[in-house]
Amino acid sequence: MAAFQPSVRTNRDSSFVSRSPFSLGLLFACTMHIMPLTVQKFGGTSVANAEKIHRAARRAIRAHKAGHRVVIVVSAMGDTTDQLLALAHEVSSNPPKRELDVLLTTGEQVSIALMAMAINDAGCEAISLTAGQLGLVTDSVHTRARIRRIERQRLERELAAGKIVIIAGFQGIDDSGEITTLGRGASDTTAAALAAVLQADVCEIYTDVDGVYTADPRLVPDARKIDRISYDEMLELASAGAGVMHGRAIEFAMRFNVPMQVRSALTDAPGTMIVAPTEGMEAVAVRGVSLREDLAVVRLTGVPNVPGLAATVFAALAEKNIIVDDIIQNLYQNAESAILGFVVSSEDAAIARELADRLARDHEMGAVEFSEKVSKVSAVGVGMRSHSGVAATMFQALAREDINILAISTSEIVIGCVVPRQDGPRALAAVHAAFGLGDAVNENAASI
Ligand code: ADP
Ligand code: ASP
Ligand code: MG
């Protein structure tokens, strides 16, 4: 996030205005500036076939006809990205990440072109742009690049010409012109970053559910739709596994104060607003719960109890761009040695394990223990700041189900428990029920 720089150019600096300061161009630009700007993002299922593309196109045209400047971000159709990934692994046992990026970005390129055709077909002007054409510049970390800047010139020019602009989600380009991707599910992040840079009035995320629920409705059938959720809560739910939104999208929205709305692509139901916290949000202790199933635990045993070793371990992980989810520390076996555990995503598990083996050898530690069979269930709510007993309620819910807690992590608005993988879904349902999240009586979540 820190590296992201929204373009600080004002309308005055952009080429179409500065070339003719006293012409109709200026008048038009001023009018454009006050026209509301909406970013609409359509996920894979929402553009899965021609009919759905037309439906999404109609929605964008409706906003355009209502006087909005409209930027659309699209994902690859249906499960194209999964299929391309599977193909890559059929062709190669270890596909180079650079080539994965070249391959996967084709999915979004198909969608933007088709969307532009659908809009043109309906009599409205539209133009599709890849990240390279737009100038969405990232760092060079293939498959998980981070956005550095977004050029506004082309976007503003096309919007000023009255076109609906369609941007390929999920992709970027680095300073040397290499194609990058932003991580699975990151079309949301493209949309939020564009909304931030363009100071959009709203960023609408159209998907296959009609909002953010108190838990993934596929896993917990009595989960309920949340009407309003704070940026912090959504960010924590997303990092804790709620796949409905990409976490980094929320970081952008929060930092640049862009209201986000998660809505169904099929209906006009209002969905969920993701906004700055408002008074009253703390009335409930837990807003929602999530499950992350893509985790692994690495435990270094017999770690000499000397200053600097934790720094060495985590510096080595950081150097390989491995994100550590939780750290389990200070479990002293005796005065001289400790156990240092950490939780990483399954994607990084093999490399984290290799590193841990090397560190254990180099620093004379004990055995390295490794488990890929863990999940984490998390409860999230800004109300935790002012409610006591949240942790106890959660632990009791797991105890009643006879589920063993392998590690616990807490922060101001999250409590997370690492549990055996096979117990994950049951743990999620139990915690959801313990906080009364499925109860119709309470709005969104119950206090304890
Ligand atoms: P898209 O392709 O539109 O980006 P995703 O599959 O990424 O859609 O996200 C939508 C899915 O997220 C839903 O189908 C739902 O199963 C899942 N999901 C996970 N957690 C939640 C939650 N708390 N609320 C709503 N949906 C959730
Ligand atoms: N198509 C990409 C993916 O499947 C990006 C996205 O859908 O947001 O991960
Ligand atoms: Mg998604």
Side-chain angles (χ1 to χ4, degrees):
M1 272 303 298
F4 177 71
Q5 292 164 1
S7 169
V8 286
R9 261 179 291 126
T10 62
N11 259 354
R12 198 172 279 280
D13 303 320
S14 60
S15 55
F16 68 89
V17 178
S18 53
R19 260 188 273 118
S20 53
F22 300 110
S23 69
L24 272 180
L26 177 61
L27 194 63
F28 187 51
C30 293
T31 321
M32 291 300 295
H33 194 65
I34 50 170
M35 280 170 75
L37 193 144
T38 302
V39 175
Q40 297 185 334
K41 179 257 170 178
F42 295 93
T45 43
S46 312
V47 291
N49 55 38
E51 192 241 308
K52 288 187 172 170
I53 290 174
H54 275 294
R55 183 191 285 271
R58 284 197 296 277
R59 196 182 281 279
I61 292 168
R62 219 188 318 149
H64 191 253
K65 293 216 162 126
H68 291 241
R69 290 172 291 161
V70 179
V71 174
I72 303 180
V73 174
V74 277
S75 297
M77 294 170 71
D79 54 7
T80 302
T81 311
D82 289 331
Q83 285 173 14
L84 290 172
L85 256 179
L87 195 56
H89 287 282
E90 259 180 60
V91 168
S92 157
S93 56
N94 187 20
K97 291 192 166 163
R98 177 191 183 277
E99 303 309 331
L100 275 178
D101 281 350
V102 174
L103 178 71
L104 296 191
T105 48
T106 61
E108 272 68 15
Q109 190 165 335
V110 169
S111 303
I112 53 168
L114 293 174
M115 183 66 79
M117 290 174 198
I119 294 176
N120 281 307
D121 211 46
C124 223
E125 267 200 278
I127 182 162
S128 65
L129 295 174
T130 62
Q133 290 171 309
L134 164 70
L136 188 152
V137 183
T138 67
D139 61 23
S140 307
V141 184
H142 285 293
T143 75
R144 56 169 75 162
R146 292 176 84 92
I147 301 175
R148 283 195 169 148
R149 60 179 192 278
I150 299 178
E151 302 293 339
R152 291 192 343 198
Q153 256 165 332
R154 180 77 192 265
L155 265 173
E156 287 181 343
R157 198 164 69 231
E158 303 296 356
L159 288 169
K163 292 180 197 164
I164 294 177
V165 183
I166 305 154
I167 307 293
F170 174 59
Q171 57 181 252
I173 191 154
D174 77 0
D175 276 320
S176 50
E178 291 292 308
I179 291 173
T180 56
T181 60
L182 311 175
R184 294 304 308 271
S187 292
D188 297 334
T189 296
T190 308
L194 282 166
V197 128
L198 294 168
Q199 294 172 303
D201 295 271
V202 65
C203 179
E204 298 168 343
I205 304 290
Y206 289 96
T207 184
D208 61 357
V209 268
D210 57 3
V212 178
Y213 277 63
T214 49
D216 184 343
R218 285 190 223 189
L219 297 176
V220 183
D222 69 345
R224 303 183 66 231
K225 197 186 87 184
I226 300 169
D227 293 332
R228 288 170 80 78
I229 185 168
S230 71
Y231 291 126
D232 313 74
E233 289 170 326
M234 190 64 237
L235 181 58
E236 295 295 353
L237 278 176
S239 334
V244 64
M245 281 290 299
H246 195 246
R248 220 169 315 134
I250 311 297
E251 289 178 22
F252 277 116
M254 178 155 66
R255 179 153 161 214
F256 297 99
N257 215 10
V258 181
M260 298 203 86
Q261 193 174 20
V262 179
R263 307 179 57 177
S264 161
L266 300 177
T267 71
D268 283 332
T272 299
M273 286 302 305
I274 309 173
V275 291
T278 52
E279 240 176 80
M281 274 191 177
E282 291 203 10
V284 294
V286 172
R287 181 91 46 217
V289 296
S290 333
L291 182 67
R292 266 197 76 172
E293 297 198 282
D294 61 333
L295 296 174
V297 179
V298 181
R299 277 159 48 100
L300 293 158
T301 66
V303 179
N305 189 14
V306 293
L309 259 189
T312 308
V313 170
F314 292 104
L317 290 162
E319 201 190 314
K320 297 272 176 202
N321 289 310
I322 294 174
I323 296 165
V324 175
D325 193 61
D326 277 326
I327 299 171
I328 311 151
Q329 55 184 339
N330 291 344
L331 300 175
Y332 289 102
Q333 289 171 316
N334 52 51
E336 276 85 44
S337 69
I339 294 174
L340 182 59
F342 54 88
V343 182
V344 292
S345 79
S346 309
E347 204 190 331
D348 291 333
I351 180 146
R353 186 181 188 177
E354 245 175 67
L355 255 176
D357 283 334
R358 207 193 64 214
L359 287 162
R361 263 197 319 274
D362 292 354
H363 297 277
E364 294 173 358
M365 301 176 191
V368 174
E369 295 168 3
F370 178 74
S371 170
E372 272 205 281
K373 300 260 178 293
V374 298
S375 292
K376 185 158 91 163
V377 60
S378 304
V380 175
V382 287
M384 277 185 205
R385 294 182 182 130
S386 50
H387 287 76
S388 57
V390 181
T393 302
M394 183 155 172
F395 302 156
Q396 280 156 8
L398 297 176
R400 274 196 300 274
E401 289 290 318
D402 210 16
I403 294 171
N404 197 20
I405 302 173
L406 307 174
I408 297 167
S409 58
T410 61
S411 71
E412 212 185 357
I413 65 165
V414 191
I415 300 178
C417 294
V418 176
V419 298
R421 175 81 48 88
Q422 78 268 15
D423 295 333
R426 215 157 40 89
L428 184 73
V431 173
H432 189 263
F435 289 110
L437 296 176
D439 298 350
V441 201
N442 294 306
E443 175 57 19
N444 300 328
S447 30
I448 51 168

